[in-house]
């Protein structure tokens, strides 16, 4: 199987060298290790709106289940659009295992319209200096995440680029998938 075809259907670790197959304009976004919300807000000069699509218990798909070594079957899935002037720029699909959203994490994960990054990147909660594992993917029409995006964002082109990061909140895993929508690049162009 060639590298080109492998990248279409699989997530690849950022350090694997596959990042160079992504278009140059997406590479800094795929590689960045900070808060995506903060990075976008800084780049466009104003606050993003968070549109919650769903936040409910769900069975994991096979790819997500494999990522958790098949130890987790059901979890909380939170899907949101990060929007600027009501235009979706990023779709986030977060997988929060039941254990990760219980105990001391229960109250801080009551997010409403607040971005998950506000919790994950709070200075008081970022204890580890180690970078969390990050994967990237080129999503085509056969990808379940591309299909989720296309339901919310009709007329979507392919491919889409995405990154997936396994964060830890007080020692418990949270898997965050961030899918970059074409409108993000339009917002980054200098205004005339």
């Amino acid at each position: 199987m060639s590298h080109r075809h492998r990248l279409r259907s699989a997530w690849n670790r950022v350090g694997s060298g596959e990042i160079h197959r992504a278009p140059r304009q997406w590479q800094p976004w795929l590689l960045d290790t900070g808060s995506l919300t903060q990075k976008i807000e800084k780049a466009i000069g104003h606050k993003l709106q968070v549109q919650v699509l769903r936040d409910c218990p769900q069975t994991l798909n096979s790819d997500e289940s494999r990522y958790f070594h098949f130890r987790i079957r059901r979890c909380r899935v939170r899907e949101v659009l990060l929007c600027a002037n009501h235009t979706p720029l990023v779709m986030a699909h977060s997988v929060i295992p039941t254990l990760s959203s219980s105990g001391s994490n229960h109250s801080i994960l009551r997010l409403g319209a607040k971005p998950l990054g506000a919790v994950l990147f709070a200075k008081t909660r970022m204890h580890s200096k180690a970078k969390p594992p990050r994967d990237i993917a080129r999503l085509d029409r056969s990808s379940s995440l591309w299909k989720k995006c296309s339901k919310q964002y009709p007329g979507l082109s392919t491919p889409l680029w995405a990154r997936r990061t396994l964060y830890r909140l007080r020692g418990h895993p949270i898997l965050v998938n961030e899918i970059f929508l074409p409108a993000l690049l339009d917002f980054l162009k200098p205004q005339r």
Side-chain angles (χ1 to χ4, degrees), residues 105-140:
N105 288 343
H106 181 71
S107 62
I108 59 176
L109 285 174
R110 288 185 172 172
L111 299 167
K114 183 168 66 170
L116 179 56
V119 171
L120 296 174
F121 288 93
K123 288 186 180 8
T124 57
R125 294 192 183 90
M126 291 299 288
H127 300 296
S128 173
K129 298 289 183 207
K131 292 182 181 176
R134 161 88 37 86
D135 297 324
I136 62 166
R138 179 183 185 272
L139 306 177
D140 60 20

Short mmCIF file of all heavy atoms in Angstrom, two decimals, residues 105-140:
data_model
loop_
_atom_site.label_atom_id
_atom_site.label_comp_id
_atom_site.label_asym_id
_atom_site.label_seq_id
_atom_site.Cartn_x
_atom_site.Cartn_y
_atom_site.Cartn_z
N ASN A 105 -13.71 15.73 37.61
CA ASN A 105 -13.85 16.32 36.28
C ASN A 105 -15.31 16.64 35.92
O ASN A 105 -15.56 17.36 34.97
CB ASN A 105 -13.29 15.38 35.20
CG ASN A 105 -11.78 15.32 35.24
OD1 ASN A 105 -11.12 16.16 35.82
ND2 ASN A 105 -11.23 14.30 34.60
N HIS A 106 -16.25 16.07 36.69
CA HIS A 106 -17.67 16.21 36.33
C HIS A 106 -18.09 17.67 36.19
O HIS A 106 -18.66 18.07 35.17
CB HIS A 106 -18.55 15.49 37.35
CG HIS A 106 -20.01 15.57 37.03
ND1 HIS A 106 -20.59 14.89 35.98
CD2 HIS A 106 -21.00 16.29 37.61
CE1 HIS A 106 -21.87 15.16 35.93
NE2 HIS A 106 -22.15 16.01 36.91
N SER A 107 -17.82 18.48 37.18
CA SER A 107 -18.29 19.87 37.14
C SER A 107 -17.54 20.70 36.10
O SER A 107 -18.14 21.55 35.44
CB SER A 107 -18.20 20.52 38.52
OG SER A 107 -16.85 20.55 38.95
N ILE A 108 -16.23 20.46 35.91
CA ILE A 108 -15.50 21.28 34.94
C ILE A 108 -15.81 20.89 33.50
O ILE A 108 -15.56 21.67 32.59
CB ILE A 108 -13.97 21.29 35.19
CG1 ILE A 108 -13.38 19.89 35.11
CG2 ILE A 108 -13.63 21.95 36.48
CD1 ILE A 108 -11.87 19.86 35.24
N LEU A 109 -16.38 19.71 33.28
CA LEU A 109 -16.75 19.30 31.92
C LEU A 109 -18.21 19.62 31.58
O LEU A 109 -18.73 19.19 30.57
CB LEU A 109 -16.45 17.82 31.70
CG LEU A 109 -14.96 17.51 31.53
CD1 LEU A 109 -14.72 16.01 31.46
CD2 LEU A 109 -14.41 18.19 30.28
N ARG A 110 -18.86 20.40 32.43
CA ARG A 110 -20.18 20.96 32.08
C ARG A 110 -19.89 22.20 31.25
O ARG A 110 -19.76 23.29 31.77
CB ARG A 110 -20.97 21.31 33.33
CG ARG A 110 -21.48 20.12 34.06
CD ARG A 110 -22.35 20.54 35.19
NE ARG A 110 -22.98 19.40 35.78
CZ ARG A 110 -23.68 19.43 36.90
NH1 ARG A 110 -23.85 20.57 37.53
NH2 ARG A 110 -24.23 18.34 37.36
N LEU A 111 -19.80 22.03 29.97
CA LEU A 111 -19.25 23.06 29.10
C LEU A 111 -20.26 24.03 28.52
O LEU A 111 -19.93 25.19 28.28
CB LEU A 111 -18.46 22.40 27.96
CG LEU A 111 -17.27 21.55 28.42
CD1 LEU A 111 -16.76 20.69 27.27
CD2 LEU A 111 -16.17 22.43 28.94
N GLY A 112 -21.46 23.55 28.22
CA GLY A 112 -22.40 24.43 27.53
C GLY A 112 -21.78 24.91 26.22
O GLY A 112 -21.28 24.12 25.44
N ALA A 113 -21.76 26.24 26.01
CA ALA A 113 -21.20 26.81 24.78
C ALA A 113 -19.74 27.20 24.94
O ALA A 113 -19.19 27.91 24.10
CB ALA A 113 -22.02 28.01 24.34
N LYS A 114 -19.09 26.73 25.99
CA LYS A 114 -17.67 27.02 26.19
C LYS A 114 -16.85 25.96 25.44
O LYS A 114 -17.19 24.78 25.44
CB LYS A 114 -17.35 26.96 27.69
CG LYS A 114 -15.91 27.32 28.03
CD LYS A 114 -15.70 27.55 29.52
CE LYS A 114 -15.90 26.31 30.34
NZ LYS A 114 -15.47 26.46 31.74
N PRO A 115 -15.75 26.36 24.78
CA PRO A 115 -14.93 25.36 24.08
C PRO A 115 -14.22 24.44 25.06
O PRO A 115 -13.80 24.88 26.14
CB PRO A 115 -13.94 26.20 23.28
CG PRO A 115 -13.93 27.53 23.92
CD PRO A 115 -15.25 27.71 24.60
N LEU A 116 -14.08 23.17 24.70
CA LEU A 116 -13.37 22.20 25.53
C LEU A 116 -11.94 22.63 25.80
O LEU A 116 -11.39 22.40 26.87
CB LEU A 116 -13.40 20.82 24.86
CG LEU A 116 -12.71 19.66 25.56
CD1 LEU A 116 -13.23 19.46 26.98
CD2 LEU A 116 -12.86 18.39 24.75
N GLY A 117 -11.32 23.31 24.82
CA GLY A 117 -9.95 23.80 24.99
C GLY A 117 -9.79 24.73 26.17
O GLY A 117 -8.73 24.80 26.78
N ALA A 118 -10.86 25.45 26.53
CA ALA A 118 -10.80 26.34 27.69
C ALA A 118 -10.52 25.55 28.97
O ALA A 118 -9.85 26.03 29.89
CB ALA A 118 -12.09 27.13 27.83
N VAL A 119 -11.00 24.31 29.01
CA VAL A 119 -10.75 23.44 30.17
C VAL A 119 -9.38 22.76 30.02
O VAL A 119 -8.58 22.75 30.95
CB VAL A 119 -11.86 22.38 30.30
CG1 VAL A 119 -11.50 21.33 31.34
CG2 VAL A 119 -13.19 23.04 30.63
N LEU A 120 -9.12 22.22 28.84
CA LEU A 120 -7.89 21.46 28.64
C LEU A 120 -6.64 22.33 28.74
O LEU A 120 -5.58 21.85 29.12
CB LEU A 120 -7.92 20.75 27.28
CG LEU A 120 -8.98 19.68 27.12
CD1 LEU A 120 -9.00 19.16 25.70
CD2 LEU A 120 -8.77 18.54 28.11
N PHE A 121 -6.74 23.61 28.36
CA PHE A 121 -5.58 24.48 28.36
C PHE A 121 -5.56 25.48 29.51
O PHE A 121 -4.75 26.41 29.50
CB PHE A 121 -5.46 25.21 27.01
CG PHE A 121 -5.04 24.29 25.91
CD1 PHE A 121 -5.97 23.66 25.12
CD2 PHE A 121 -3.70 24.02 25.70
CE1 PHE A 121 -5.58 22.78 24.12
CE2 PHE A 121 -3.30 23.14 24.71
CZ PHE A 121 -4.24 22.53 23.92
N ALA A 122 -6.44 25.31 30.48
CA ALA A 122 -6.40 26.18 31.66
C ALA A 122 -5.05 25.99 32.34
O ALA A 122 -4.59 24.87 32.55
CB ALA A 122 -7.54 25.82 32.61
N LYS A 123 -4.40 27.09 32.66
CA LYS A 123 -3.04 27.03 33.23
C LYS A 123 -2.96 26.17 34.48
O LYS A 123 -2.00 25.47 34.71
CB LYS A 123 -2.54 28.44 33.53
CG LYS A 123 -2.20 29.23 32.29
CD LYS A 123 -1.59 30.55 32.66
CE LYS A 123 -1.21 31.44 31.53
NZ LYS A 123 -1.56 31.14 30.21
N THR A 124 -4.00 26.19 35.28
CA THR A 124 -3.97 25.43 36.53
C THR A 124 -4.09 23.94 36.28
O THR A 124 -3.80 23.15 37.16
CB THR A 124 -5.12 25.86 37.46
OG1 THR A 124 -6.35 25.69 36.76
CG2 THR A 124 -4.95 27.30 37.89
N ARG A 125 -4.54 23.53 35.08
CA ARG A 125 -4.73 22.10 34.81
C ARG A 125 -3.64 21.51 33.92
O ARG A 125 -3.60 20.32 33.72
CB ARG A 125 -6.10 21.89 34.17
CG ARG A 125 -7.20 22.24 35.16
CD ARG A 125 -8.53 21.77 34.66
NE ARG A 125 -9.53 22.19 35.61
CZ ARG A 125 -10.17 23.36 35.55
NH1 ARG A 125 -9.94 24.19 34.58
NH2 ARG A 125 -11.07 23.67 36.45
N MET A 126 -2.80 22.34 33.34
CA MET A 126 -1.74 21.83 32.46
C MET A 126 -0.51 21.48 33.30
O MET A 126 0.41 22.28 33.43
CB MET A 126 -1.39 22.86 31.38
CG MET A 126 -2.48 23.08 30.35
SD MET A 126 -2.89 21.60 29.41
CE MET A 126 -1.47 21.45 28.38
N HIS A 127 -0.52 20.30 33.90
CA HIS A 127 0.56 19.89 34.80
C HIS A 127 1.74 19.29 34.05
O HIS A 127 2.88 19.49 34.41
CB HIS A 127 0.05 18.87 35.83
CG HIS A 127 -1.06 19.42 36.67
ND1 HIS A 127 -0.88 20.47 37.54
CD2 HIS A 127 -2.35 19.07 36.76
CE1 HIS A 127 -2.03 20.73 38.14
NE2 HIS A 127 -2.94 19.90 37.69
N SER A 128 1.48 18.55 33.00
CA SER A 128 2.53 17.82 32.31
C SER A 128 3.19 18.68 31.24
O SER A 128 2.52 19.39 30.51
CB SER A 128 1.94 16.56 31.66
OG SER A 128 2.90 15.93 30.88
N LYS A 129 4.50 18.59 31.14
CA LYS A 129 5.24 19.29 30.09
C LYS A 129 5.32 18.42 28.83
O LYS A 129 5.69 18.91 27.77
CB LYS A 129 6.66 19.62 30.57
CG LYS A 129 6.70 20.55 31.77
CD LYS A 129 6.29 21.95 31.37
CE LYS A 129 6.41 22.87 32.58
NZ LYS A 129 5.53 23.98 32.54
N ALA A 130 4.99 17.15 28.94
CA ALA A 130 5.05 16.25 27.78
C ALA A 130 3.94 16.61 26.80
O ALA A 130 2.82 16.93 27.19
CB ALA A 130 4.88 14.80 28.24
N LYS A 131 4.27 16.58 25.52
CA LYS A 131 3.27 16.87 24.49
C LYS A 131 2.37 15.66 24.32
O LYS A 131 2.85 14.53 24.23
CB LYS A 131 3.96 17.21 23.17
CG LYS A 131 4.70 18.53 23.23
CD LYS A 131 5.33 18.85 21.91
CE LYS A 131 6.09 20.16 22.03
NZ LYS A 131 6.81 20.49 20.82
N PRO A 132 1.05 15.89 24.25
CA PRO A 132 0.15 14.76 24.06
C PRO A 132 0.30 14.17 22.67
O PRO A 132 0.67 14.88 21.73
CB PRO A 132 -1.24 15.39 24.25
CG PRO A 132 -1.06 16.84 24.03
CD PRO A 132 0.36 17.17 24.36
N PRO A 133 0.02 12.88 22.51
CA PRO A 133 0.10 12.24 21.19
C PRO A 133 -0.82 12.93 20.19
O PRO A 133 -1.98 13.22 20.49
CB PRO A 133 -0.36 10.81 21.44
CG PRO A 133 -0.23 10.61 22.91
CD PRO A 133 -0.40 11.94 23.55
N ARG A 134 -0.29 13.22 18.99
CA ARG A 134 -1.06 13.91 17.95
C ARG A 134 -0.96 13.14 16.65
O ARG A 134 0.13 12.76 16.23
CB ARG A 134 -0.50 15.32 17.79
CG ARG A 134 -0.82 16.07 16.53
CD ARG A 134 -2.10 16.87 16.51
NE ARG A 134 -2.48 17.53 17.72
CZ ARG A 134 -2.09 18.75 18.13
NH1 ARG A 134 -1.26 19.45 17.42
NH2 ARG A 134 -2.56 19.25 19.24
N ASP A 135 -2.09 12.90 16.02
CA ASP A 135 -2.16 12.26 14.71
C ASP A 135 -2.80 13.23 13.73
O ASP A 135 -3.54 14.13 14.12
CB ASP A 135 -3.03 10.99 14.75
CG ASP A 135 -2.47 9.92 15.67
OD1 ASP A 135 -1.25 9.79 15.74
OD2 ASP A 135 -3.28 9.23 16.31
N ILE A 136 -2.54 13.02 12.44
CA ILE A 136 -3.19 13.80 11.39
C ILE A 136 -3.82 12.84 10.39
O ILE A 136 -3.43 11.68 10.31
CB ILE A 136 -2.22 14.74 10.66
CG1 ILE A 136 -1.11 13.95 9.95
CG2 ILE A 136 -1.65 15.77 11.63
CD1 ILE A 136 -0.31 14.77 8.96
N ALA A 137 -4.81 13.35 9.65
CA ALA A 137 -5.45 12.53 8.63
C ALA A 137 -5.95 13.40 7.49
O ALA A 137 -6.30 14.56 7.68
CB ALA A 137 -6.61 11.75 9.22
N ARG A 138 -5.96 12.80 6.33
CA ARG A 138 -6.58 13.38 5.15
C ARG A 138 -7.92 12.65 5.02
O ARG A 138 -7.96 11.46 4.76
CB ARG A 138 -5.71 13.13 3.92
CG ARG A 138 -6.27 13.66 2.64
CD ARG A 138 -5.33 13.26 1.49
NE ARG A 138 -5.72 13.82 0.23
CZ ARG A 138 -6.57 13.25 -0.61
NH1 ARG A 138 -7.11 12.08 -0.32
NH2 ARG A 138 -6.86 13.84 -1.75
N LEU A 139 -9.01 13.38 5.24
CA LEU A 139 -10.33 12.76 5.24
C LEU A 139 -10.98 12.90 3.87
O LEU A 139 -11.07 13.99 3.33
CB LEU A 139 -11.23 13.44 6.29
CG LEU A 139 -10.68 13.52 7.72
CD1 LEU A 139 -11.65 14.27 8.61
CD2 LEU A 139 -10.39 12.14 8.28
N ASP A 140 -11.44 11.77 3.34
CA ASP A 140 -12.18 11.81 2.08
C ASP A 140 -13.64 11.43 2.36
O ASP A 140 -14.03 11.25 3.51
CB ASP A 140 -11.53 10.92 1.02
CG ASP A 140 -11.46 9.46 1.44
OD1 ASP A 140 -12.21 9.04 2.35
OD2 ASP A 140 -10.66 8.72 0.86
#
